[in-house]
Amino acid sequence: MAARGHVQDPNDRRLRPIYDYLDNGNNKMAIQQADKLLKKHKDLHCAKVLKAIGLQRTGKQDEAYALAQEVAALEPTDDNSLQALTILYREMHRPELVTKLYEAAVKKVPNSEEYHSHLFMAYARVGEYKKMQQAGMALYKIVPKNPYYFWSVMSLIMQVELYYMILERLEKYKEALDVVRGKLGEKLTSELQSRENKCMAMYKKLHRWPECNALARRLLLKNSDDWQFYITYFDSVFQLIDESWTPPAEEEHSLEGEVHCSIEQAVNFIEERITEESKSSRPLRGPYLAKLELIRRLRHRGCNDEYKLGDPEELMFQYFKKFGDKPCCFTDLKVFVDLLPPSQYTKFIRQLLDVIPLAAAAENEVALPGDIKALQQHLCVVQLSRLLGIYHAMEKKQKLAVVRELMLRYRHGLEFGKSCLKTELQFSDYYCLLAVHLLLDLWLEGEEAAVWQCLTLLEEGLSHSPSNAQFKLLLIRIYCRLGAFEPVSELYSSLDAKHIQHDTIGYLLTRYAGSLGHYAAASQSCNFALRFFHSNQKDTSEYIIQAYKYGAFEKIPEFIAFRNRLNSSLHFAQVRTERMLLDLLLEANISTSLEESIKSMSLSPEEDDIPWKDLRDNRDLTVLFSWDPKDRDISEEHRKLSLEEETLWLRIRSLTLRLVSGLPTLGHTIQPKNSEKTAENGVSSKIDTIRALLQQLEAAVDSGKKFLEQKIQYPVLGPPPTRMAGFFSNGSCQCQTSLFYLVSDIYELDTNGLEDSAEIQERIGNSFKSLVERLTDLFNKCKGDLIEVRDGTLKTHPNLLENLVFFVETISIALWVSSYCDSVLRPFKSNLQKKKKKKKESSVAMPPVFTHFLDYVTELQTLTSNVIDHIKGLEIILTALKLEELSFKDTLLLQEEKKFTKTVQGKVQSSYHHSVQEIGELLKKRLDTIKKLKI
C-alpha cells in the first residue's frame, strides 16, 4: 500500500489515515475510518475500496466483493481508486477483474500512457496474448517512446523463438529443424550455443543419428570438456552400430559433416581428445572420464573391445593422481567404481593412499597432510573407502578406531581454515561428517551411546563451521529421531531456506513439527511453508510477465509447469491438511466454537481439493550427503514406497479433517420424523456425506495396514516414515473411527426420536463403554519414562511422546463428537421434563441413553484428569533429571567433546520438558470443555 504513486488529489490527505491503518495491519480501524469519511463524502470512491480491502483482510470476502463491484460499475478514472481496486483484486486472486477496470479507464481517457501500460500488464497476468499485442501497439501509437519501440523490435526477433516453440509443441520437428538451420535460426541468441542445442534436440526427436553424431563430434572438437556432448556422441555411435549404418560412398556423411559409426572410431576419437588435452594450458577432466564412460558402455553391451582403452583400475588411479586434490574427484569416480572387481577394492584404496604426501610427527602416530591439496586427496580416498563398503565390513572396535582417526584428522585440518570466514566451510568438515556416518551405523546396530556422540561431533563441527548445511540437516534428522523438536526450529531457520526449498526440504521439519508436541513451533513451521505456496501463484504470474517483457517466450511454459508442479505438491497438500487439523486442535471449542473454526477455514465435508491423480513428490530425498554403497543407499524403490506411504497417510488425515468438518452441519432436526422436511433442509444428505466419508476412511485404513505389512525399512538418511504405524498400533485409529460411527448412531436417534429406539440407545451405550476402554488403552501406551538413564547412557522414548500427541488429538475428536451428542440429547431431555410437568407425574422413566451419556462424560473427565496428572509427573521427573551427574564412561570422549555432550543432552531434556508442558496445557483446556458437557 505504501508504495502507491504520489497523487495530486485534494482527497489524498483525507485518505492517508486509512492507508496507514492498512499498512500497519490494523484493518478494523481502517474500516471504521473509511465509514467516518463516507458519512461526510459519500462519493469518495477510493474510501469505499479501501474499506473493501479492510473487509477482505478480516475474512468478509462477500461484503468486500459487493462494495468493490459498486465502485467498479461506476468505471472510475481517478488513480487512487484504480490502484486500490487493483490491490484488492490481486488479494482476491481475481486478476481478470483488473483488465475490465483498465479497459473502461482507457476508453474514458484514451491518451493515458499510464493506463495503457497498466492494461498491457493486466493482460499479461491473465495470459490474454492477443489483447496484449493490441494493447502494446496502441501504447506505441499514443507515446512513440524508444522503450516501447524496442519492445516491438524485441517481439519481432523473439517470434522466431515462438515459432520454433510452437512447431516443437505441435511435434512438427522437421519444420522446426528447417527454421533453426535456416536464416531465421541465426537470430537464436537467447543462450549460449542456442542454435546447436536446438538442432541437436530436433535430430534426436527425428532419430537422425548421423547428424547427432557429427554435430556432437564437431562441438567436442571445439570444447573437449563439455560432458553433455560426450553422452550424445556415445548414444549416437551405438545407435548407428545397432542400425548397421554405413556412410554413403561419395556424398557427405551427413548435414553436419563426418560421422563415426564404429567402436574403433569412437576409441580413436577419445584417445585423440586425451592427446589434445595434454597440450592444454589447464587440465580438462572430460576426455579422461569419457574413456571410463566408453569402457562402462562396452562392458554393459558385452563387447570385448574395452581392453583397447586400458584397465579401469589403472585409469582411475591415473585420474586420481591428476585430479585427486579437487573436491569433484570423488563424485567423478563414484559413477565408475562398479568397473572395479570387489576383490580389488582394498588394493585400490592402498594404491591411492601410497601416492598421498602424508607425514607422521613420530612413529605409531597418524600420518597427517602438510597442505590443503594433500588433505583433499586423503579426503577423496576416505570417501571412496566408505562407498566401496570397506568401513561397513569392520567390527565395532575397528569402526571406533576409524572414528577416532577421522576426528583427529578433522581437528588437525582446522589449522588450514583459520583464515576462513564464518560463511565459509572448513576444509576438513567431511572428516567429521564421515565419522558421524560411522557412528550412525553403530547406533543402528544397537550401540545407544553412539547417537549421543553423533550429536556431540556435529555440534562441535557446527561451532567451527556455522554455515555448514550438512551439519545442520543431519542434526535436524537425529534430534527428530530422538523426539526433540525444540533445537530443530532454530537449526532449520538458520538454513535460510529459499523459495522452492520450502517444498523440497520442508518435509524434514513439518513431518515432526506437530507429532512431538511443540504445537506453537508446528504452527510456525506450517506457516513458513504455506506462505511460500500461497505466494507462488502471484509470483509465477510476475515471472510470466517478465518473460514476455524480455521476450524469453520459451521460459513461459516452464514457469507455467513450475506453478502447476507446486500446486500439485504432495508437501503442500500435507502441510495444508495438518495445519487445519492443528488449528482445530488448538482452537475449536476452546477459543471459538467448532462451527466458527470450520467456517473460517472454508472447510466443507463434500469438497476434496487435493489433486490425488496429479500429486507430485517434490521432496529432495538426497539432500543429506551419503557415501553408502548402492545396496545400502536410497533406491528408486524406496522413493516409490515412500510416496505411496505418504499418500496413504495424507488420505487418512484428509478424510479425518473432512469428517470433523461435517459435525456442525448435522444440526439438531426440529421435526425428526418428517423425512421430507429433513431432506429439504439438506441434513439427511449431510449424514449421507458423513457415512460415505466413513466408508472411504475404512478403505484408506485397510490400504494403510496392508502397506505396513511389508515392514519396509528406509535407509537412515532416506525418507522419514510417516506417523501411520503409530496411529494403528497405539489404538488411535480404532478410537477415531468408532467416534465417527457413533455420530451416525446419534443422528439415527435424532431422526427416529426416543420412542421405540431401545436398540439404538443400547448400541450407543455400548459405543460409549468401548470408547472409554479404547481411550484408556491408548493412555496406557503413553505411560513410561520419556528419558531414562541406562549404564550412564541416556535413552529417549519418542514413541511415548507421539502416543501422547495422538491421545490429545483423539480426546479432542471425542469432545467434538460429545458436543454433537449433547446438542441432540439436550432438547430431548427438555421435552421430557415439560411432559413431566404437564402430567404432574413424580417419576417419568428417563431413557437409558441419558445415563449412558452422563456416565461417559464423567469417565472422560476422570481419564483426562489422570492423563494430566501423569504429565505433571513426567514434568517433575524431567526437571529432576540431573544430566551433569551422568558418568562419561566412554574413553572416546575428549574433554572438549564432553562440553558439547552436555549441551546436546540439555537440549533434548529441555525439548521434552516443553513438549509435555504444551501437551499438558492443551489437555487442561480440553478438560474445561468436558466439564461444560452437562445435558
Side-chain angles (χ1 to χ4, degrees), residues 669-686:
T669 52
I670 298 161
Q671 292 170 290
K673 291 196 176 176
N674 188 338
S675 59
E676 286 178 24
K677 187 75 180 172
T678 55
E680 189 184 307
N681 289 339
V683 179
S684 62
S685 65
K686 297 287 183 190

Side-chain angles (χ1 to χ4, degrees), residues 698-767:
E698 287 278 28
V701 165
D702 285 344
S703 301
K705 285 178 178 172
K706 279 178 190 165
F707 178 87
L708 291 174
E709 281 170 11
Q710 299 173 73
K711 293 188 167 59
I712 293 144
Q713 289 289 320
Y714 301 112
V716 67
L717 301 176
T722 66
R723 300 164 64 199
M724 189 160 64
F727 182 62
F728 293 154
S729 64
N730 64 27
S732 300
C733 177
Q734 295 87 326
C735 279
Q736 292 186 16
T737 312
S738 303
L739 282 161
F740 295 124
Y741 275 114
L742 175 61
V743 170
S744 180
D745 287 342
I746 294 286
Y747 178 84
E748 200 177 325
L749 179 70
D750 191 16
T751 311
N752 296 331
L754 290 173
E755 293 169 24
D756 306 323
S757 63
E759 191 186 325
I760 302 171
Q761 288 190 50
E762 189 181 349
R763 202 160 68 226
I764 290 168
N766 290 336
S767 294

Side-chain angles (χ1 to χ4, degrees), residues 159-383:
Q159 275 180 50
V160 183
E161 288 271 1
L162 196 54
Y163 184 35
Y164 167 80
M165 204 172 83
I166 291 165
L167 289 171
E168 189 184 15
R169 297 234 152 191
L170 291 170
E171 297 183 6
K172 294 188 174 182
Y173 304 128
K174 172 75 174 66
E175 291 85 343
L177 184 62
D178 291 342
V179 169
V180 180
R181 286 186 57 81
K183 279 197 172 183
L184 284 172
E186 291 169 13
K187 299 187 188 299
L188 291 171
T189 54
S190 64
E191 56 190 52
L192 196 66
Q193 290 181 330
S194 181
R195 196 179 186 187
E196 289 86 348
N197 285 330
K198 284 178 170 57
C199 276
M200 190 74 86
M202 289 305 100
Y203 288 143
K204 284 179 183 175
K205 296 275 189 190
L206 293 164
H207 293 173
R208 288 173 63 166
W209 302 115
E211 278 75 15
C212 258
N213 180 273
L215 181 55
R217 180 188 152 279
R218 189 153 53 79
L219 291 166
L220 285 169
L221 288 172
K222 275 189 195 175
N223 176 9
S224 62
D225 209 31
D226 198 325
W227 187 248
Q228 62 170 329
F229 296 127
Y230 278 114
I231 298 300
T232 306
Y233 175 79
F234 291 139
D235 286 345
S236 56
V237 165
F238 289 115
Q239 284 285 352
L240 292 168
I241 290 169
D242 292 342
E243 290 172 12
S244 306
W245 185 88
T246 51
E250 294 175 9
E251 301 168 33
E252 274 277 348
H253 283 196
S254 73
L255 287 173
E256 298 289 350
E258 187 187 336
V259 176
H260 289 172
C261 56
S262 70
I263 292 170
E264 200 71 45
Q265 285 174 308
V267 169
N268 290 338
F269 180 68
I270 297 304
E271 292 290 5
E272 284 166 16
R273 300 288 60 72
I274 290 172
T275 307
E276 284 295 314
E277 189 279 335
S278 62
K279 300 172 190 172
S280 171
S281 57
R282 69 179 181 91
L284 303 175
R285 292 149 50 225
Y288 298 98
L289 293 172
K291 199 173 193 178
L292 288 164
E293 174 66 17
L294 185 52
I295 291 173
R296 198 171 67 83
R297 289 184 180 228
L298 289 169
R299 189 175 289 187
H300 183 68
R301 291 170 66 88
C303 296
N304 296 321
D305 299 81
E306 67 170 87
Y307 71 90
K308 296 173 184 174
L309 289 150
D311 175 26
E313 186 182 337
E314 180 58 26
L315 291 172
M316 288 166 81
F317 174 60
Q318 293 302 328
Y319 186 84
F320 175 79
K321 285 208 293 188
K322 202 170 181 68
F323 300 105
D325 60 337
K326 304 280 188 292
C328 58
C329 184
F330 169 73
T331 46
D332 288 346
L333 293 178
K334 182 181 179 181
V335 186
F336 303 110
V337 290
D338 290 350
L339 298 174
L340 297 172
S343 59
Q344 297 296 311
Y345 288 171
T346 311
K347 178 192 158 213
F348 175 64
I349 292 294
R350 203 176 297 123
Q351 193 182 8
L352 298 184
L353 284 170
D354 286 345
V355 295
I356 304 171
L358 302 174
E363 205 178 332
N364 299 327
E365 283 194 14
V366 175
L368 298 166
D371 57 25
I372 295 167
K373 280 193 169 185
L375 180 143
Q376 198 61 62
Q377 284 178 310
H378 189 268
L379 252 181
C380 180
V381 177
V382 173
Q383 291 173 82

Side-chain angles (χ1 to χ4, degrees), residues 371-647:
D371 57 25
I372 295 167
K373 280 193 169 185
L375 180 143
Q376 198 61 62
Q377 284 178 310
H378 189 268
L379 252 181
C380 180
V381 177
V382 173
Q383 291 173 82
L384 285 167
S385 301
R386 174 86 183 166
L387 180 69
L388 295 171
I390 291 168
Y391 291 154
H392 294 91
M394 290 178 175
E395 295 292 317
K396 177 187 164 183
K397 275 187 178 179
Q398 287 175 294
K399 283 183 182 176
L400 288 173
V402 173
V403 169
R404 266 196 293 272
E405 185 193 321
L406 290 174
M407 286 312 291
L408 176 71
R409 292 184 177 283
Y410 165 67
R411 291 179 186 119
H412 168 260
L414 293 175
E415 290 176 19
F416 302 121
K418 281 179 179 174
S419 61
C420 286
L421 300 172
K422 280 192 172 182
T423 50
E424 294 177 318
L425 306 187
Q426 288 291 331
F427 298 106
S428 60
D429 278 353
Y430 277 12
Y431 281 128
C432 184
L433 271 176
L434 284 154
V436 170
H437 280 222
L438 272 164
L439 287 165
L440 279 174
D441 294 344
L442 289 168
W443 182 45
L444 293 175
E445 289 161 17
E447 195 65 37
E448 199 59 43
V451 74
W452 297 101
Q453 204 176 350
C454 283
L455 291 172
T456 298
L457 299 186
L458 287 168
E459 290 282 7
E460 181 186 342
L462 198 58
S463 72
H464 295 296
S465 198
S467 295
N468 191 314
Q470 285 300 314
F471 286 157
K472 293 173 186 178
L473 289 165
L474 207 41
L475 278 166
I476 286 171
R477 242 354 241 286
I478 298 171
Y479 276 128
C480 284
R481 283 282 296 257
L482 292 175
F485 189 76
E486 192 173 59
V488 167
S489 296
E490 193 183 333
L491 283 164
Y492 186 83
S493 182
S494 71
L495 280 169
D496 198 18
K498 295 281 193 294
H499 201 65
I500 188 67
Q501 288 174 317
H502 288 299
D503 192 22
T504 57
I505 65 169
Y507 72 94
L508 294 169
L509 190 69
T510 52
R511 154 63 183 89
Y512 294 98
S515 63
L516 295 173
H518 282 264
Y519 297 119
S523 287
Q524 197 179 11
S525 306
C526 292
N527 283 345
F528 267 142
L530 290 176
R531 204 175 297 132
F532 157 66
F533 285 114
H534 289 149
S535 67
N536 164 47
Q537 281 286 349
K538 185 180 72 176
D539 290 349
T540 314
S541 298
E542 292 304 319
Y543 303 151
I544 292 166
I545 287 166
Q546 294 302 312
Y548 274 112
K549 192 173 177 180
Y550 296 107
F553 297 125
E554 61 184 8
K555 295 296 172 194
I556 294 164
E558 290 178 29
F559 287 136
I560 292 167
F562 176 73
R563 178 169 63 192
N564 294 341
R565 184 168 179 171
L566 285 179
N567 288 342
S568 306
S569 162
L570 166 75
H571 185 232
F572 180 31
Q574 288 171 323
V575 173
R576 212 169 60 227
T577 305
E578 290 298 338
R579 175 63 212 253
M580 288 192 276
L581 281 166
L582 184 63
D583 283 351
L584 291 177
L585 193 65
L586 299 177
E587 293 167 16
N589 287 358
I590 294 176
S591 55
T592 57
S593 70
L594 179 64
E595 189 172 4
E596 286 169 336
S597 296
I598 285 164
K599 193 178 177 185
S600 71
M601 294 178 196
S602 306
L603 269 173
S604 166
E606 293 88 359
E607 289 175 21
D608 183 5
D609 59 355
I610 295 173
W612 294 105
K613 288 182 181 175
D614 302 317
L615 274 181
R616 293 291 299 265
D617 186 1
N618 299 331
R619 294 174 300 163
D620 181 356
L621 298 177
T622 54
V623 68
L624 286 151
F625 286 174
S626 173
W627 295 276
D628 288 339
K630 269 187 186 173
D631 61 329
R632 288 170 174 265
D633 207 2
I634 181 171
S635 64
E636 201 50 47
E637 185 65 14
H638 287 134
R639 289 172 190 276
K640 284 179 187 170
L641 289 167
S642 174
L643 174 58
E644 187 185 346
E645 183 180 350
E646 295 286 352
T647 309

Side-chain angles (χ1 to χ4, degrees), residues 731-857:
S732 300
C733 177
Q734 295 87 326
C735 279
Q736 292 186 16
T737 312
S738 303
L739 282 161
F740 295 124
Y741 275 114
L742 175 61
V743 170
S744 180
D745 287 342
I746 294 286
Y747 178 84
E748 200 177 325
L749 179 70
D750 191 16
T751 311
N752 296 331
L754 290 173
E755 293 169 24
D756 306 323
S757 63
E759 191 186 325
I760 302 171
Q761 288 190 50
E762 189 181 349
R763 202 160 68 226
I764 290 168
N766 290 336
S767 294
F768 285 146
K769 278 180 194 169
S770 72
L771 271 167
V772 172
E773 285 169 13
R774 281 178 172 162
L775 283 165
T776 307
D777 285 344
L778 175 52
F779 170 42
N780 288 334
K781 284 174 183 165
C782 301
K783 289 178 180 176
D785 290 333
L786 293 174
I787 299 179
E788 61 173 330
V789 180
R790 276 193 208 156
D791 304 325
T793 301
L794 220 58
K795 180 163 176 61
T796 62
H797 295 282
N799 60 310
L800 295 178
L801 206 52
E802 293 214 17
N803 288 350
L804 263 174
V805 169
F806 272 128
F807 178 87
V808 176
E809 185 183 292
T810 309
I811 205 84
S812 299
I813 295 173
L815 291 176
W816 298 327
V817 171
S818 301
S819 294
Y820 170 62
C821 297
D822 184 73
S823 72
V824 169
L825 296 177
R826 198 182 288 265
F828 281 142
K829 192 167 186 182
S830 175
N831 288 338
L832 281 172
Q833 285 169 340
K834 283 176 189 173
K835 284 179 187 175
K836 184 178 169 183
K837 281 179 184 174
K838 279 181 185 175
K839 293 181 180 179
K840 293 181 181 176
E841 289 179 27
S842 56
S843 62
V844 173
M846 275 287 179
V849 73
F850 295 115
T851 317
H852 295 324
F853 182 66
L854 287 170
D855 290 347
Y856 169 66
V857 170

